[in-house]
Amino acid sequence: MLINHKRFKTIGKPKKNFIFKFPHYSEKYFEFFNNYAKKNYKWEDTRCLCKNNDDILLSMVDRCGIEYHTVICKMCGLIRGKKYLRNVDVKDFYKNYYRKIMRGTEDPLDPEIYFNNLYESFRSKAEIIKKYGKLNLKKDSIVLDLGGGVGASAYHFFNDCKIFLADTYDPYLKFAEQKGINIINGGLEKISFKPDVIIMSHVIEHWDNFEEEIKKLISIQKINQTINYIEFPGIDSLKKGRREGDVLGDIHIPHLYYFSSYVFDNLMSRYGFKKLYIDSEIKGVFLYTGNKGMTTNYFKEVRNDLFKAEKIRKIQGLKNFVKKFFPNKIINWFR
């Protein structure tokens, strides 16, 4: 294993830990994958997107104690699930169980609350799109919010052009429609036009067939025109303190791929996308040019970033211990 620590090997319900956040116990998630999924779903071998099959094991479990082997490709640095659910099982999971399991309750988040929270959190990201995409939107321009829940991200452009939301959760689609957003029940396969801006916030890491989905994405691009905003957790931001430096906190079954920003940039380049902006978290802006780059091996960089993150995790653990067991007067004295 890349990092020889027991938390990456311990399968089963995690015990309460007052110092570290991960692994952590999520009742609905654990029961679903330990019972229903184990009986009804099947797993298939995966292969790295660089077409190689030379891996090193990162973890045997996910952040909730479910057995889920993740590996790092030695030829490019991409982290992925060694095996993954069949496409039919993935569709069943997202259609019938995902939102309830991830929220830990039978009731979905109230769409009004969801909309307001998402709209506010996306404010700075909309500015990134405008700045690096150098947008010149007109009334007939189209912004597509792909997998955007209630469409709050695209709503930042509501007064500038036409906005569309593509998703599959009916209650949220109906709410978005009431807000004046054009709705599409489905994903990329249902898009019959070429948008000027495509927003994919926490979408790509859920793709179970990256190559098929990226082909669909390319098919709706205006070459050298369509701006693509892509966001999801970046592995290299762990060394800066995200999730208290613990990569285990990123690993769970709904995610097949785990990207560092530079690995993802190189991957998109291989499919003909030019980076306009990217940071370690990942918040990225890409333009499709059709000019394809070559594979770069970032395995050593990813490995080093994970080692740095482990140091951050240990330091944060010490801080959490001090906060838990020492009076504020002593903590202030140390500060």
Side-chain angles (χ1 to χ4, degrees), residues 204-299:
I204 283 185
E205 72 272 34
H206 293 272
W207 285 354
D208 62 303
N209 192 327
F210 187 94
E211 291 185 330
E212 287 301 315
E213 294 297 323
I214 200 74
K215 288 177 183 177
K216 295 174 187 175
L217 181 64
I218 291 171
S219 72
I220 63 170
Q221 300 287 313
K222 295 179 182 178
I223 298 178
N224 291 316
Q225 293 183 52
T226 300
I227 299 299
N228 299 268
Y229 175 80
I230 301 172
E231 177 187 1
F232 50 83
I235 292 297
D236 43 328
S237 64
L238 293 168
K239 66 184 178 186
K240 298 181 179 180
R242 187 177 63 81
R243 294 203 191 278
E244 297 189 348
D246 197 344
V247 66
L248 186 62
D250 276 1
I251 300 173
H252 68 146
I253 291 173
H255 292 183
L256 170 56
Y257 300 109
Y258 306 84
F259 302 94
S260 295
S261 62
Y262 39 86
V263 172
F264 184 69
D265 177 19
N266 181 246
L267 176 65
M268 293 298 282
S269 172
R270 286 164 13 217
Y271 284 99
F273 288 84
K274 177 184 177 181
K275 174 193 68 180
L276 303 179
Y277 171 82
I278 197 167
D279 59 28
S280 64
E281 286 189 343
I282 295 167
K283 297 187 289 289
V285 181
F286 292 85
L287 177 72
Y288 181 72
T289 66
N291 299 321
K292 298 180 180 181
M294 302 294 290
T295 300
T296 301
N297 189 351
Y298 285 111
F299 170 71

Side-chain angles (χ1 to χ4, degrees), residues 26-247:
S26 174
E27 183 176 357
K28 279 190 172 293
Y29 180 97
F30 187 89
E31 293 303 320
F32 176 83
F33 282 107
N34 201 46
N35 292 299
Y36 179 87
K38 188 176 288 187
K39 295 175 184 176
N40 296 281
Y41 292 167
K42 293 183 179 179
W43 297 79
E44 299 175 331
D45 290 329
T46 67
R47 189 180 181 186
C48 186
L49 296 176
C50 72
K51 310 299 183 184
N52 289 290
N53 197 25
D54 185 8
D55 310 313
I56 184 170
L57 184 64
L58 174 61
S59 182
M60 297 171 63
V61 297
D62 77 353
R63 65 190 183 194
C64 296
I66 298 293
E67 184 173 5
Y68 180 45
H69 292 211
T70 47
V71 295
I72 307 176
C73 176
K74 292 182 179 179
M75 304 305 292
C76 74
L78 175 62
I79 300 173
R80 75 183 196 282
K82 184 70 173 175
K83 291 179 178 287
Y84 204 65
L85 300 172
R86 299 175 303 173
N87 183 258
V88 63
D89 299 327
V90 172
K91 289 181 178 178
D92 177 69
F93 172 65
Y94 279 105
K95 181 179 179 180
N96 299 306
Y97 303 104
Y98 173 72
R99 292 189 182 276
K100 295 177 182 179
I101 287 170
M102 301 314 292
R103 268 184 52 77
T105 174
E106 290 295 319
D107 300 318
L109 182 62
D110 179 86
E112 185 75 46
I113 296 174
Y114 182 22
F115 185 92
N116 292 336
N117 291 344
L118 183 57
Y119 183 84
E120 189 58 37
S121 67
F122 202 80
R123 188 182 298 277
S124 61
K125 300 163 189 177
E127 292 304 315
I128 290 175
I129 298 173
K130 293 175 183 177
K131 178 179 179 180
Y132 293 96
K134 298 180 180 178
L135 300 186
N136 183 25
L137 298 175
K138 301 174 182 178
K139 287 298 179 182
D140 60 346
S141 299
I142 296 176
V143 173
L144 171 65
D145 195 349
L146 183 65
V150 287
S153 301
Y155 208 72
H156 284 275
F157 305 94
F158 184 79
N159 294 323
D160 301 324
C161 61
K162 300 176 183 177
I163 64 173
F164 285 77
L165 166 67
D167 209 301
T168 58
Y169 190 59
D170 286 332
Y172 289 169
L173 285 172
K174 290 178 181 177
F175 177 84
E177 191 172 32
Q178 292 171 1
K179 299 286 286 187
I181 300 172
N182 301 288
I183 62 169
I184 298 169
N185 195 328
L188 281 167
E189 73 285 352
K190 292 291 184 71
I191 310 302
S192 58
F193 52 87
K194 295 189 176 184
D196 298 278
V197 179
I198 302 174
I199 298 172
M200 290 171 283
S201 181
H202 295 275
V203 170
I204 283 185
E205 72 272 34
H206 293 272
W207 285 354
D208 62 303
N209 192 327
F210 187 94
E211 291 185 330
E212 287 301 315
E213 294 297 323
I214 200 74
K215 288 177 183 177
K216 295 174 187 175
L217 181 64
I218 291 171
S219 72
I220 63 170
Q221 300 287 313
K222 295 179 182 178
I223 298 178
N224 291 316
Q225 293 183 52
T226 300
I227 299 299
N228 299 268
Y229 175 80
I230 301 172
E231 177 187 1
F232 50 83
I235 292 297
D236 43 328
S237 64
L238 293 168
K239 66 184 178 186
K240 298 181 179 180
R242 187 177 63 81
R243 294 203 191 278
E244 297 189 348
D246 197 344
V247 66

Side-chain angles (χ1 to χ4, degrees), residues 296-313:
T296 301
N297 189 351
Y298 285 111
F299 170 71
K300 291 182 179 179
E301 288 82 354
V302 174
R303 179 191 61 191
N304 292 340
D305 279 348
L306 289 173
F307 288 162
K308 290 176 183 177
E310 278 294 287
K311 292 180 180 179
I312 294 297
R313 175 184 173 273

